[in-house]
């Protein structure tokens, strides 16, 4: 009888361990459930467009669902903070951007996360330039005319952005500082709403993402004054850079990178990095990004971290002035 009882107890213990082992084994195979990709801006903006492209390709490659969740507000810091505080298991990712990674710590005194200490980089996705774009009613056609107009009409120029501390905010601040022309900054909760008001003539200027303004530029309802990168864009080959148009040395490049909560297992970060590198190197994705003015970057998590540290240092002083 004692032997029988011992066997029953051993069998029960084995069954219990078997039950516990099932979910553990499932979690070893990443991903074993849907992934949440947080886009910290409104739908329809350039970050949202890029995030949905990556989500679709990543989900298709791994045979899982990658759900895009838009969490706009406070220059994109609300969405990033949500991910910084999430469980570090690889199932919550954020497509972070220039403002909430490179600028936020210098701009917001009580930022609830540290871009370096609270998040781990997966990959640097792209560093696209923007287009200095004017509403059709503004009587200027190039940077020189814009500077002359601003000096002749002090205090009248304004420009919209996708939020305080975002790339198109700081690119405007850099332009104002280098040109000596003060401009009023008008922040929105995303690029989409900012573009709507620019087309409607409610704002005059925007340092805008290529995909959001190219159709209107080609239709003649908006004017492309210059490109903020160091070289002309093949999308607008006849549009000069800001630097060659009267502000030598001016350069403004965006920043998009995938980030996960600090402490996410190294093997999960590596798997994400390898897969997104592969996605960025596929002909259709490269073509899609180039058509939208963004050359894909890729590289290692360490490469992404270096770009964050360098970007914070580059924009720190101007970000403090923009508070």
């Amino acid at each position: 009888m004692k032997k029988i009882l011992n066997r029953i107890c051993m069998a029960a213990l084995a069954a219990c361990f078997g039950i516990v082992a099932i979910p553990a084994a499932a979690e070893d195979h990443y991903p074993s459930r849907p992934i949440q990709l947080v886009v910290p801006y409104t739908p329809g903006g350039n970050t949202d467009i890029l995030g949905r492209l990556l989500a679709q390709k990543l989900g298709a490659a791994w045979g899982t669902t990658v759900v895009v969740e838009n969490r706009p507000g406070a220059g994109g810091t609300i969405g990033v903070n949500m991910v910084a505080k999430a469980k570090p298991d690889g199932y919550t990712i954020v497509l972070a951007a220039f403002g909430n990674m490179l600028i936020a710590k210098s701009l917001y005194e009580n930022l609830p996360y540290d871009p370096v200490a609270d998040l781990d980089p997966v990959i640097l996705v792209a560093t696209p330039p923007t287009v200095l774009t004017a509403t059709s009613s503004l009587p200027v056609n190039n940077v020189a005319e814009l500077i002359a107009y601003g000096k002749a009409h002090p205090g009248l120029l304004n420009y919209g952005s996708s939020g305080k501390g975002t790339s198109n905010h700081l690119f405007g601040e850099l332009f104002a500082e280098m040109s000596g022309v003060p401009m009023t900054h008008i922040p929105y909760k995303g690029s989409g709403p900012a573009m709507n008001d620019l087309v409607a003539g409610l704002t005059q200027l925007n340092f805008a993402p290529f995909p959001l303004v190219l159709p209107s530029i080609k239709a003649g309802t908006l004017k492309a004054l210059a490109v903020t990168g160091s070289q002309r864009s093949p999308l607008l080959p006849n549009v000069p850079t800001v630097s060659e148009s009267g502000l030598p040395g001016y350069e403004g490049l965006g920043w998009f990178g995938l980030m996960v909560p600090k402490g996410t297992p190294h093997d999960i970060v590596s798997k994400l990095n390898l897969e997104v590198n592969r996605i960025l190197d596929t002909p259709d994705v490269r073509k899609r990004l180039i058509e939208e003015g963004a050359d894909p970057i890729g590289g290692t998590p360490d490469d992404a971290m270096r770009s964050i540290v360098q970007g914070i240092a580059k924009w720190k002083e101007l970000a403090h002035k923009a508070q």
Side-chain angles (χ1 to χ4, degrees):
M1 176 64 73
K2 185 175 181 180
K3 289 183 179 180
I4 293 173
L5 289 173
N6 285 340
R7 287 173 187 166
I8 293 172
C9 289
M10 292 298 292
L13 286 171
C16 289
F17 282 119
I19 292 171
V20 172
I22 290 173
E27 287 299 315
D28 286 341
H29 178 65
Y30 174 84
S32 61
R33 61 183 193 272
I35 297 171
Q36 181 184 38
L37 175 58
V38 175
V39 171
Y41 299 102
T42 54
N46 58 323
T47 313
D48 184 62
I49 293 170
L50 180 56
R52 291 180 187 278
L53 174 63
L54 292 175
Q56 188 272 322
K57 293 294 183 179
L58 191 58
W62 284 351
T64 190
T65 301
V66 180
V67 180
V68 173
E69 180 171 347
N70 296 90
R71 285 293 184 97
T77 61
I78 290 175
V80 175
N81 183 54
M82 170 189 165
V83 175
K85 302 297 191 291
K87 184 178 179 180
D89 56 7
Y91 289 95
T92 307
I93 308 169
V94 64
L95 180 58
F98 178 96
N100 45 56
M101 287 305 297
L102 309 186
I103 303 300
K105 193 173 180 181
S106 299
L107 196 64
Y108 296 100
E109 184 177 348
N110 298 312
L111 187 70
Y113 64 90
D114 185 297
V116 174
D118 296 335
L119 294 151
D120 283 331
V122 173
I123 191 168
L124 176 59
V125 176
T127 56
T130 60
V131 187
L132 173 51
T133 310
T135 190
S136 58
S137 60
L138 191 66
V140 302
N141 294 295
N142 53 54
V143 168
E145 291 180 2
L146 176 63
I147 294 173
Y149 179 87
K151 290 182 176 179
H153 303 83
L156 290 186
L157 284 178
N158 64 55
Y159 71 101
S161 81
S162 52
K164 183 180 178 182
T166 57
S167 60
N168 36 24
H169 173 201
L170 270 293
F171 295 174
E173 293 296 315
L174 181 62
F175 184 91
E177 182 177 85
M178 292 182 67
S179 67
V181 176
M183 300 190 298
T184 301
H185 171 231
I186 301 175
Y188 292 80
K189 286 189 175 181
S191 294
M195 287 301 101
N196 291 337
D197 277 5
L198 181 68
V199 172
L202 299 178
T203 55
Q204 298 166 305
L205 299 165
N206 198 302
F207 292 79
F210 274 79
L212 299 189
V213 292
L214 277 179
S216 296
I217 290 170
K218 291 177 180 177
T221 54
L222 290 176
K223 294 185 283 190
L225 305 185
V227 176
T228 63
S230 60
Q231 299 177 349
R232 294 193 183 195
S233 169
L235 298 179
L236 294 170
N238 296 323
V239 176
T241 66
V242 174
S243 182
E244 69 178 294
S245 302
L247 291 181
Y250 181 100
E251 182 182 47
L253 295 176
W255 190 98
F256 292 105
L258 287 176
M259 310 291 294
V260 291
K262 179 68 72 174
T264 299
H266 177 74
D267 58 340
I268 289 178
V269 174
S270 295
K271 186 171 184 178
L272 279 165
N273 175 271
L274 289 171
E275 189 57 46
V276 178
N277 263 309
R278 187 197 66 77
I279 289 170
L280 291 176
D281 202 40
T282 57
D284 62 326
V285 171
R286 291 190 66 85
K287 181 174 182 291
R288 175 77 179 274
L289 289 180
I290 290 170
E291 285 175 348
E292 296 182 354
D295 289 329
I297 303 295
T300 67
D302 286 342
D303 293 332
M305 179 58 79
R306 276 191 293 271
S307 74
I308 294 168
V309 173
Q310 291 168 0
I312 290 172
K314 174 180 177 178
W315 293 98
K316 184 176 182 179
E317 184 178 347
L318 190 62
H320 281 303
K321 292 180 181 178
Q323 289 187 47

